[in-house]
Amino acid sequence: MKKFAIAIHGGAESIKHSELDQKTEKLYRQGLADALKDGYDVLEKGGSALDAVEAAVNSMERNPVFNAGRGASLTQRGENEFDAAIMDGNTLRVGAVGGVRYVQHPITLAKVILQKCDHCLLVGTGAEEYALANNLPLKGPEYFVTPEKDEAWREKQHKRLEVKKTMPGSMSDTVGAVALDINGNLAAATSTGGLTDQLKGRVGDTPIIGGGTFAANKVCAVSCTGEGEAIMRGVLAHEVYAMMKYAGNSLHAATDKAIELHADKLKGDRGILSMDAAGKAAFGFNTGFMKRGYWAADEEPFVALWESEKGKKAVKQKEMEK
Amino acid sequence: MKKFAIAIHGGAESIKHSELDQKTEKLYRQGLADALKDGYDVLEKGGSALDAVEAAVNSMERNPVFNAGRGASLTQRGENEFDAAIMDGNTLRVGAVGGVRYVQHPITLAKVILQKCDHCLLVGTGAEEYALANNLPLKGPEYFVTPEKDEAWREKQHKRLEVKKTMPGSMSDTVGAVALDINGNLAAATSTGGLTDQLKGRVGDTPIIGGGTFAANKVCAVSCTGEGEAIMRGVLAHEVYAMMKYAGNSLHAATDKAIELHADKLKGDRGILSMDAAGKAAFGFNTGFMKRGYWAADEEPFVALWESEKGKKAVKQKEMEK
C-alpha cells in the first residue's frame, strides 16, 4: 500500500455546543466530509499533494457554510476580501494572494501564481488582473455574499452605532488542508474571507508564508486558523516546523507547543493543523471547537467538531497500517 | 555605560566595483551614515529601539539613493508601490503595509498600525485610507519618482519589447534597521519599493513577519534584503531566530546558515542583517555588495559597502566594551 493522507480544517472558534444549532452542525460535518473526499480522490489516483489540498480547499470555498470564497465574511464596507496561500513542500514554491475580490477560487489563483508567476504574493487589483489574464472565473458580490453573512454584517454595523467602537468579529473560520502524496511530497493550503467587520485592506495570517501556511518535505505541512494577527506575530506555522527540525519535537508536541507559544503576549483563538512526512496529522486548538477531518490511504475518513471528540485530534498513520 | 546599538542596511546586490561610480558610492556611504546617526540619536537619548529603527528607516525613505520611499523602484505600470514592516521585540506587536502608494513614510504608517490598529497588515487603498485617517503625510508621484528610477523603468520597457519576456529587475536594495535600546528591547524595521518592473500588486518579503522582518527580545531582531520571493519562501528572518533559539546557534552562525539555507531550491541574492540581545550585529550576504552600517554605545560608527570590507560584517559589542 502506498502511503498517502489528507487532513483539513474549517476553522477553530470559541463557541459552545448550545450556541450551534443541529442543522448547521450537520452542514459543517457534511461539508468537511465532502472536502475530504475531493482531496482524497486526487491522492488515490496518484495525484500530487498540491492538487489534493487545492481540491479540498476548492470544495470549502464553494460551500457557503465556510468562511472562504462563497459565504465569506464581510469587511466594514460590507465587501468580500479574500486571502489565500498554497505551498509545495518539495520545491518550496509558493503562491499567495491578499485582499482580492471577485475571484471565485482564491486558492486556485494562488496555485496559478505558484506555477506561473515570478512573484509569490499578489494583492488587490494587481492580483485580480492576474486572475483575469489567466482566465480564472470571476464572480460578482451576489455570488459571494450569502444572506447569513449579510445579516452578520448588518448586526455589526448596528452594534457599532451602539457601542461606538470597532469590534473585530469572530467568524474567523478560515479553511485549510495539508496532504502527503504517494511520492512523499507534502503540501499546505489555506483560504479565508478574514474577520467579519475587518478594515478594508486588512490581510491576516493566511497568505503569510510561515504565519498561516507552510510546507517543507521531510518535516511538515501546516495550515492555521484563528486570530490572524496573533498567528502572524508568532509566525506559528514556521514555529511548528522549527520546533520539529531544530528542537527535535514530534509533530504532536510541536503543534501543541505552538498553540501555547507566547501566550502571555499573543491572545486569542488558535487552531493549527499539521502533518508530518509519515502522513500523521495533528490538530491543535485552544478553542472548544475546530472543524476538522482526516483520511489516510485505505482507511475510513473521520470528521469532528468538538473538543470532546479530541481523542481523534492526532491520528497516527502507524495505527492505520494494520 | 548603558548598552545600546543600532545596525542598518540599504540593500544587498550583485554588483561589481567597476559598475558603481564614485559619486554614487559616496552618496551611499553618506546616506548610511546619516541614517545611522538618526537612529543612534534616538537611542542615546534613552529612546526605544522601535523609535530608533523607525528614525533610521525614515532617513533612508527620504533619501532618493535608496529603494524605499522617495527614489523607490517602479512597477511594470511605472508606479511606486511600497511595502514596509516594523516589529517590537518586547511585545511582539507588529505593523505592516503592502502595495501602498502616496504614503510619504511607509515605515511610519506601519508603526501607527502597530500602535493603534487591531490588525497587523493592511494593503492597497485600505492602507492608504488608514494613513489618511491618521493624518500621515501623503505625496504624489512627482515626489517619489526620481529621474533615475523613471529612466530605469523606461529602459525595462524598451528591453521588454526587444526580448519579449518579463524581466524582474534588480534594484532590490530594500532598506532596514535593527536596534537594541537601554531597556534591553529589540526592534526591527524594513521598507522597500520592491523590484523594478514588478507586477502591479506584487508584495515581497519586506512586510512578511518572519520572512523579511522579525524581532523577539532575548533572541534577535532581523531585517532582510535581496530576492524577496526566495526570502519569503524560506521564511529566513524567522530561521535566524529559530536556529538561535532551538538549535543553539550563535547570531553569526544562524545568520550565515540562513544565507545558505535551501540554496538548491531558493536562488538569488540574499542579505540578512541581524542583532542579538547583547547588541552584537551580523551582516550576512551572498552578494559582493551590501550597504550597511553599525553604531554601538559610545563607539565610532562604521559604514561599509563591499565584501572586502567584510571584516566588519560582524561587530561584537564585547570588543567595544573596553
Side-chain angles (χ1 to χ4, degrees):
Chain A
M1 188 191 92
K2 283 281 188 184
K3 194 161 61 177
F4 60 87
I6 184 162
I8 61 171
H9 70 78
E13 277 178 280
S14 295
I15 184 176
K16 284 176 195 151
H17 219 309
S18 56
E19 293 168 334
L20 189 72
D21 63 85
Q22 283 200 335
K23 189 186 153 198
T24 306
E25 180 165 341
K26 203 176 158 188
L27 288 172
Y28 283 156
R29 290 183 192 274
Q30 186 59 51
L32 290 167
D34 291 346
L36 211 47
K37 181 167 179 4
D38 283 0
Y40 187 88
D41 285 351
V42 171
L43 295 172
E44 196 176 32
K45 288 172 191 154
S48 69
L50 196 72
D51 289 342
V53 293
E54 183 201 12
V57 170
N58 273 171
S59 174
M60 291 185 279
E61 286 176 337
R62 264 193 308 272
N63 189 333
V65 303
F66 297 108
N67 178 20
R70 187 155 179 248
S73 294
L74 300 174
T75 69
Q76 276 192 7
R77 310 289 171 90
E79 297 174 333
N80 283 121
E81 291 187 1
F82 307 111
D83 301 339
I86 191 165
M87 184 161 185
D88 180 340
N90 181 28
T91 60
L92 302 184
R93 292 190 74 172
V94 159
V97 295
V100 298
R101 305 180 60 192
Y102 315 119
V103 178
Q104 185 172 12
H105 286 296
I107 202 69
T108 299
L109 174 56
K111 200 177 99 170
V112 171
I113 291 169
L114 178 151
Q115 291 172 325
K116 295 187 180 182
C117 190
D118 288 329
H119 307 319
C120 291
L121 171 57
L122 298 178
V123 302
T125 52
E128 289 154 7
E129 291 173 15
Y130 195 82
L132 275 169
N134 284 278
N135 299 312
L136 297 184
L138 303 189
K139 296 281 184 183
E142 63 282 0
Y143 168 80
F144 294 108
V145 183
T146 58
E148 290 76 13
K149 291 299 162 92
D150 196 42
E151 192 185 325
W153 178 75
R154 280 172 210 285
E155 265 173 31
K156 278 279 178 186
Q157 305 324 304
H158 185 68
K159 276 187 195 151
R160 178 157 344 105
L161 288 176
E162 281 174 350
V163 300
K164 304 268 187 203
K165 76 183 276 282
T166 309
M167 302 168 57
S170 61
M171 315 288 275
S172 58
D173 39 354
T174 297
V175 308
V178 292
L180 172 75
D181 64 30
I182 56 169
N183 296 311
N185 293 318
L186 287 166
T190 318
S191 182
T192 191
L195 304 166
T196 294
D197 208 38
Q198 70 182 17
L199 287 181
K200 174 182 172 183
R202 178 262 187 183
V203 171
D205 63 304
T206 294
I208 305 301
I209 300 307
T213 307
F214 190 72
N217 273 14
K218 297 180 187 167
V219 185
C220 62
V222 186
S223 172
C224 300
T225 176
E227 196 141 314
E229 279 68 17
I231 294 164
M232 187 191 295
R233 289 161 61 196
V235 198
L236 295 187
H238 198 261
E239 278 285 357
V240 174
Y241 158 92
M243 288 191 275
M244 291 178 71
K245 184 174 174 189
Y246 298 122
N249 281 286
S250 69
L251 177 80
H252 215 136
T255 304
D256 283 349
K257 284 180 187 174
I259 288 291
E260 299 298 329
L261 200 69
H262 307 303
D264 53 329
K265 293 176 180 174
L266 309 178
K267 308 294 180 196
D269 294 349
R270 296 186 198 177
I272 300 178
L273 163 60
S274 54
M275 178 173 282
D276 67 14
K280 189 171 68 180
F283 300 91
F285 48 106
N286 63 358
T287 56
F289 179 83
M290 182 178 180
K291 309 183 198 84
R292 57 201 189 274
Y294 178 76
W295 198 352
D298 292 331
E299 279 297 321
E300 287 303 305
F302 87 84
V303 299
L305 301 179
W306 304 100
E307 196 182 8
S308 54
E309 301 171 84
K310 211 172 179 177
K312 285 177 174 171
K313 83 164 182 172
V315 187
K316 291 176 189 169
Q317 179 101 21
K318 217 185 289 177
E319 296 171 9
M320 303 200 153
E321 288 167 358
K322 291 165 188 169
Chain B
M1 187 190 93
K2 282 282 186 183
K3 195 162 62 176
F4 61 86
I6 184 162
I8 61 171
H9 70 78
E13 278 179 278
S14 295
I15 184 178
K16 285 176 193 150
H17 219 308
S18 57
E19 293 168 333
L20 189 72
D21 62 85
Q22 285 201 332
K23 189 187 154 199
T24 307
E25 182 165 341
K26 203 176 159 189
L27 289 172
Y28 283 155
R29 289 183 192 274
Q30 186 59 50
L32 290 166
D34 291 346
L36 211 47
K37 181 167 179 2
D38 283 1
Y40 187 89
D41 284 352
V42 171
L43 295 172
E44 197 177 31
K45 288 171 192 155
S48 70
L50 195 72
D51 289 341
V53 293
E54 182 201 13
V57 169
N58 274 170
S59 174
M60 292 186 279
E61 286 176 337
R62 265 193 307 272
N63 189 332
V65 303
F66 298 108
N67 177 20
R70 185 155 181 248
S73 294
L74 300 174
T75 69
Q76 276 191 5
R77 310 290 171 89
E79 297 173 334
N80 284 120
E81 290 186 2
F82 307 111
D83 300 339
I86 191 164
M87 184 160 184
D88 180 339
N90 179 30
T91 60
L92 303 183
R93 293 190 73 172
V94 159
V97 295
V100 298
R101 305 181 61 194
Y102 316 119
V103 177
Q104 186 173 12
H105 286 297
I107 201 70
T108 299
L109 174 55
K111 200 177 98 169
V112 170
I113 291 169
L114 178 152
Q115 291 172 324
K116 295 189 181 180
C117 190
D118 288 328
H119 307 318
C120 291
L121 171 57
L122 298 178
V123 303
T125 51
E128 289 154 6
E129 291 173 15
Y130 195 83
L132 274 170
N134 284 277
N135 298 311
L136 296 183
L138 302 188
K139 295 283 184 182
E142 64 282 359
Y143 168 80
F144 293 109
V145 183
T146 57
E148 291 76 14
K149 289 299 162 89
D150 196 43
E151 193 185 323
W153 178 74
R154 281 172 209 285
E155 265 173 30
K156 278 278 177 186
Q157 306 324 304
H158 185 68
K159 276 186 195 150
R160 177 154 348 103
L161 288 176
E162 280 175 348
V163 300
K164 304 266 187 202
K165 77 183 278 283
T166 310
M167 303 167 57
S170 60
M171 315 289 275
S172 58
D173 39 354
T174 297
V175 309
V178 292
L180 172 76
D181 65 30
I182 56 169
N183 295 312
N185 293 317
L186 286 166
T190 318
S191 181
T192 191
L195 304 166
T196 294
D197 209 38
Q198 71 182 17
L199 288 181
K200 174 183 172 182
R202 177 262 188 185
V203 170
D205 63 303
T206 295
I208 305 301
I209 299 309
T213 307
F214 190 72
N217 273 14
K218 297 181 188 166
V219 185
C220 62
V222 186
S223 172
C224 300
T225 175
E227 197 141 313
E229 278 70 16
I231 294 165
M232 188 191 296
R233 289 161 61 196
V235 199
L236 295 187
H238 197 261
E239 278 285 357
V240 174
Y241 159 90
M243 288 192 275
M244 291 177 71
K245 183 174 174 187
Y246 297 121
N249 281 286
S250 68
L251 176 81
H252 215 136
T255 304
D256 283 350
K257 284 179 187 174
I259 289 292
E260 299 298 329
L261 199 69
H262 307 302
D264 53 329
K265 293 175 180 174
L266 308 178
K267 309 293 180 196
D269 296 348
R270 296 186 199 178
I272 300 178
L273 163 60
S274 54
M275 179 174 282
D276 67 13
K280 190 171 68 180
F283 300 90
F285 48 106
N286 63 359
T287 56
F289 179 84
M290 182 179 180
K291 309 182 199 85
R292 57 202 189 275
Y294 179 76
W295 198 352
D298 291 332
E299 279 297 321
E300 287 302 305
F302 88 84
V303 299
L305 301 180
W306 304 101
E307 197 182 6
S308 54
E309 302 171 84
K310 212 172 179 177
K312 285 178 174 171
K313 84 163 180 171
V315 187
K316 293 175 188 171
Q317 178 104 19
K318 218 185 288 178
E319 295 171 11
M320 304 200 153
E321 288 167 357
K322 291 164 188 169

